[in-house]
Amino acid sequence: MDRYLVFGHPVRHSKSPFIHTLFARQTQQELEYGLAEPAVDEFAQALRTFFDQGGKGCNVTVPFKEQAFTLVDRLSPRAKRAGAVNTIKLTDDGVLLGDNTDGAGLVADLKSHGVTLADSRILLLGAGGAARGALAPLLAELPSELVIANRTHTKAQQLAAEFHDLGHVTAQTYEQLAGPFDLVINSTSASLQGELPPLAPALIHTDIAIYDMMYGASDTAFVGWAKQQGARQTMDGLGMLVEQAAEAFTVWRGIRPGTKQVLRELKRNLGVI
Ligand code: ATR
């Protein structure tokens, strides 16, 4: 049977095996999908061993995405732009192809929620790996402007300069930000510590769309805060998780699985519904 897995550390709580097992059942693909948690300095060896022993493909998550970028034979254009790899496929001619499906997953999830990206004014919070992965797919949707704000302003400036060729992207400090924005995407890891990015409440209005790339069984700190400020449309990163997985599954198997039912089952599994 074709073997796939996700590399991460820690990875025990990953939902990827659950999601890919449902995709395989739905599309009648014969495959198994497991977990691997190598020591942080043993990822390269573990990856090599997996493919030497017949593995067909893998996902890569924290903290190995940047290292995976350096270990594959070839990079997709979107992985090159992201500077990180979350999906690896062994091609029929024995090449390890590194791809990045995170940004495509975000855009697919935003669209599935009916969010219009074309001609919109987007505020992206954070300038780390998650922001970098999202930029090219977001700019490909032709927003009128994409503003990056980050606690460490120089990182936002660097990122804006790096993606300047793909659209109207600028960097502003949190204090400089002037609305109205149509969509705010939180790519910071602040919610992980139950913290909030220092965003002025006045930037949140009833018709704004709020997206937090983090997720949990209950509202993330950012989603909870945005609701308190009156935002009516709030989304967390659970849909992005399923959509990036669907994109990876499509890269591996050439068949695109449906995501709606799988997202519902995942929510049930997490106790969200
Ligand atoms: P990831 O790969 O998940 O993006 P990362 O590269 O470590 O992780 O980036 C984390 C991002 O969250 C950064 O933009 C970080 O801001 P700094 O560049 O100033 O460190 C941001 N971040 C983390 N905690 C934050 C907080 N409490 N408030 C605001 N931004 C925060």
Side-chain angles (χ1 to χ4, degrees):
M1 199 180 307
D2 289 349
R3 284 195 305 124
Y4 297 83
L5 51 72
V6 55
F7 285 99
H9 198 120
V11 84
R12 235 157 294 164
H13 299 294
S14 168
K15 295 295 165 196
S16 292
F18 182 87
I19 295 169
H20 283 286
T21 301
L22 290 183
F23 285 163
R25 196 177 304 156
Q26 180 203 115
T27 57
Q28 296 176 331
Q29 297 282 296
E30 291 255 333
L31 60 87
E32 58 179 38
Y33 189 107
L35 298 169
E37 194 175 79
V40 169
D41 57 354
E42 285 169 9
F43 170 59
Q45 184 56 46
L47 188 71
R48 213 167 303 130
T49 304
F50 171 66
F51 283 108
D52 283 350
Q53 292 178 349
K56 293 286 184 196
C58 65
N59 284 129
V60 181
T61 187
V62 180
F64 299 129
K65 290 184 191 185
E66 283 79 15
Q67 208 184 331
F69 181 86
T70 68
L71 294 171
V72 293
D73 301 319
R74 207 192 301 152
L75 290 163
S76 70
R78 59 190 180 181
K80 219 175 273 179
R81 271 287 183 180
V85 159
N86 81 331
T87 301
I88 302 177
K89 173 187 178 159
L90 180 66
T91 66
D92 290 341
D93 42 0
V95 170
L96 279 191
L97 176 68
D99 199 355
N100 192 312
T101 65
D102 285 331
L106 169 67
V107 168
D109 192 37
L110 283 165
K111 286 183 175 174
S112 84
H113 282 95
V115 176
T116 306
L117 298 171
D119 288 325
S120 68
R121 199 156 177 261
I122 301 176
L123 172 58
L124 178 62
L125 307 178
R132 180 182 293 274
L135 273 167
L138 284 172
L139 290 168
E141 298 298 319
L142 305 178
S144 60
E145 187 180 6
L146 193 156
V147 177
I148 308 171
N150 191 47
R151 191 172 54 179
T152 312
H153 183 52
T154 49
K155 280 170 68 181
Q157 288 176 308
Q158 279 164 15
L159 217 47
E162 200 178 312
F163 285 84
H164 193 66
D165 58 320
L166 295 185
H168 185 197
V169 48
T170 59
Q172 289 172 20
T173 65
Y174 279 101
E175 296 77 37
Q176 281 171 338
L177 292 172
F181 291 100
D182 302 301
L183 167 65
V184 179
I185 300 171
N186 181 23
S187 81
T188 76
S189 46
S191 284
L192 278 182
Q193 296 99 43
E195 289 172 5
L196 290 169
L199 194 63
L203 289 169
I204 309 299
H205 53 89
T206 50
D207 295 328
I208 202 166
I210 298 290
Y211 197 100
D212 194 344
M213 288 195 198
M214 299 282 156
Y215 64 85
S218 53
D219 280 351
T220 67
F222 187 65
V223 161
W225 174 82
K227 279 182 178 173
Q228 279 169 17
Q229 311 312 316
R232 283 194 299 232
Q233 187 176 22
T234 57
M235 297 152 275
D236 71 14
L238 200 58
M240 176 178 171
L241 176 72
V242 175
E243 294 293 348
Q244 65 76 29
E247 187 77 15
F249 191 94
T250 309
V251 169
W252 293 326
R253 310 299 297 187
I255 296 179
R256 180 170 291 277
T259 50
K260 276 209 167 69
Q261 181 63 27
V262 173
L263 180 56
R264 240 190 324 266
E265 301 227 7
L266 182 59
K267 283 183 177 165
R268 209 169 292 140
N269 177 269
L270 286 168
V272 182
I273 50 172

